[in-house]
Amino acid sequence: MRGKNILAAGLIFCMSTQLLCACQKQQPAVSDKVHAGVICYNQSDTFLDELITCFKEKLSDYGSEEFKTTVTLRDAAGSQRTQNDQVKELIDAGCNVLCVNLVDRADPSEIIDLARDNNVPIIFFNREPVAEDLMQWDGLYYVGAEAKQSGVMQGELAVDVIQADSRIDRNKDGRIQYVVLEGEPGHQDAIIRTENAVDTLKNNGIELEKLSYGIANWNRAQAQNRMLLLISQYQNKIELVLANNDDMALGAIDAYKKLNYSESALPVFFGIDGTDVGLQAVLDGEMSGTVYNDKEGQAEAMAELAVALVSGKGMKDIKFEKDKYIYLPYSKVTMDNVEDYLPEPANYR
């Protein structure tokens, strides 16, 4: 009987040890070095390129003789399959935290499985995963901004400009004829930005007539081509261009420049993101306004979180929403305050 009790005690000890190890495996290993693997959906995206540059700078600020920081960057070039392979590659290369800008926000399962199996936490950024996916593991987080706020602010910018200048309604019909340049088809941020910008205009008493829209995949060259088609169809009827990001707004401006339109015949243009070139366009009076997406704040939040996850210190100091989300607010940019957002105002005068 005594032998059976000893055997039972031994089995319980082994099972307890295995359970403890399994629980410990769910927590990222503590290290004195951050080796961050950064994977973006497409590095040609102007805002993302600027955000990643900021992240590298912010993360390096945490480095010291005792605490090393390195960043390895990969570009998925629009392929989720490629991005999945890159995650595996970076984990195999020793990255102990991943910063992932998803190609397909609805398809992160393989990436999450790889990270969880190898105990490497993920900071998703800019493209927010579906909430249910972010709950799959404790080592998953998101840093970004709320798309609705950017759409509302873009609409408010347009309201202010239209109400202040009756000449925008060039045909004097009491309505503003507009077109929209959208990001990817079905992309959450594109849909939310568009809907809220338009609703905000309508809710503030602006009568609108939607002429058309063009999908330009966040890309300046594609936006120029789409805008050339819209101009050929609608000629001088277009009075307002709402673009889901600055690059597409700039592409629309490029189209009018190519056709040598006079300034008096131009519609008003609004973007979102506050990229360096977008801010310059506001300063030059080509774009009537943009909504600043706080890349510096997001980069700082990503760097702070990456260091905390790897070092095991500082998580208590980070303010999360729902334990996993860090949102940075947008802000409105016009000619009146654009110099507050330019990195080096003197160089833009």
Side-chain angles (χ1 to χ4, degrees):
M1 186 71 176
R2 183 168 176 270
K4 289 183 178 179
N5 288 339
I6 293 172
L7 179 60
L11 287 170
I12 291 170
F13 174 77
C14 291
M15 291 172 65
S16 299
T17 302
Q18 289 175 346
L19 181 60
L20 178 62
C21 291
C23 291
Q24 288 176 337
K25 187 178 180 182
Q26 297 304 309
Q27 300 301 320
V30 174
S31 174
D32 60 357
K33 175 183 179 179
V34 174
H35 185 182
V38 179
I39 310 103
C40 65
Y41 93 98
N42 195 327
Q43 201 175 349
S44 66
D45 185 299
T46 304
F47 174 76
L48 277 177
D49 186 53
E50 293 177 3
L51 172 59
I52 291 169
T53 298
C54 283
F55 171 70
K56 290 178 180 178
E57 295 170 353
K58 300 290 186 182
L59 186 62
S60 69
D61 290 342
Y62 285 90
S64 65
E65 288 295 325
E66 297 78 27
F67 192 81
K68 304 296 183 183
T69 64
T70 59
V71 175
T72 302
L73 175 62
R74 293 290 181 268
D75 179 2
S79 167
Q80 189 61 59
R81 178 72 264 163
T82 297
Q83 191 168 68
N84 295 347
D85 293 342
Q86 288 171 339
V87 166
K88 185 177 187 307
E89 173 199 344
L90 291 175
I91 291 174
D92 291 343
C95 289
N96 54 7
V97 63
L98 297 173
C99 299
V100 179
N101 169 239
L102 287 165
V103 173
D104 184 350
R105 63 179 292 271
D107 188 22
S109 294
E110 185 171 337
I111 288 175
I112 292 172
D113 289 344
L114 283 166
R116 180 173 49 204
D117 291 346
N118 289 277
N119 202 29
V120 178
I122 299 178
I123 302 168
F124 292 104
F125 68 98
N126 184 254
R127 293 182 167 212
E128 185 176 334
V130 177
E132 289 78 6
D133 287 325
L134 212 62
M135 299 305 295
Q136 289 188 37
W137 180 41
D138 289 344
L140 306 176
Y141 300 88
Y142 177 72
V143 175
E146 295 189 276
K148 179 179 179 179
Q149 186 185 39
S150 66
V152 170
M153 286 186 171
Q154 186 183 60
E156 289 172 346
L157 286 169
V159 168
D160 290 344
V161 170
I162 291 167
Q163 289 180 340
D165 189 352
S166 61
R167 293 172 300 176
I168 292 170
D169 181 14
R170 290 195 307 271
N171 62 5
K172 307 301 179 187
D173 67 346
R175 296 178 296 173
I176 301 298
Q177 281 72 35
Y178 76 101
V179 298
V180 178
L181 291 173
E182 296 185 350
E184 300 157 56
H187 190 282
Q188 181 196 33
D189 281 8
I191 295 169
I192 293 173
R193 287 177 175 184
T194 299
E195 287 181 350
N196 283 280
V198 172
D199 286 347
T200 299
L201 279 154
K202 291 178 178 178
N203 292 339
N204 281 273
I206 305 297
E207 295 291 330
L208 296 174
E209 179 186 352
K210 183 177 181 179
L211 297 177
S212 189
Y213 73 99
I215 301 292
N217 295 300
W218 315 105
N219 182 273
R220 183 169 181 166
Q222 289 189 37
Q224 178 181 341
N225 290 333
R226 299 296 181 274
M227 198 69 218
L228 287 170
L229 292 174
L230 292 171
I231 295 169
S232 69
Q233 184 174 359
Y234 295 103
Q235 301 296 320
N236 292 325
K237 291 181 181 179
I238 302 169
E239 297 169 335
L240 167 66
V241 177
L242 296 172
N244 287 164
N245 75 344
D246 285 352
D247 271 4
M248 293 190 293
L250 294 169
I253 294 169
D254 293 340
Y256 279 95
K257 286 182 178 178
K258 186 172 183 177
L259 297 172
N260 295 315
Y261 267 65
S262 65
E263 186 174 344
S264 62
L266 294 176
V268 287
F269 304 88
F270 294 91
I272 294 174
D273 278 341
T275 59
D276 290 350
V277 286
L279 294 172
Q280 180 66 49
V282 174
L283 185 65
D284 293 341
E286 294 182 334
M287 195 155 66
S288 294
T290 186
V291 181
Y292 194 76
N293 198 353
D294 185 5
K295 58 180 179 290
E296 292 85 5
Q298 292 175 35
E300 173 61 36
M302 290 166 61
E304 182 183 11
L305 179 54
V307 169
L309 288 168
V310 171
S311 69
K313 301 174 184 178
M315 287 295 284
K316 293 179 180 178
D317 299 325
I318 299 175
K319 295 181 180 179
F320 292 102
E321 294 187 29
K322 302 177 185 177
D323 298 323
K324 286 179 171 287
Y325 297 85
I326 301 174
Y327 292 113
L328 280 297
Y330 287 96
S331 54
K332 291 183 281 190
V333 181
T334 66
M335 177 75 82
D336 294 335
N337 67 349
V338 64
E339 291 199 7
D340 295 339
Y341 293 87
L342 289 165
E344 295 177 348
N347 291 343
Y348 290 81
R349 292 175 181 166

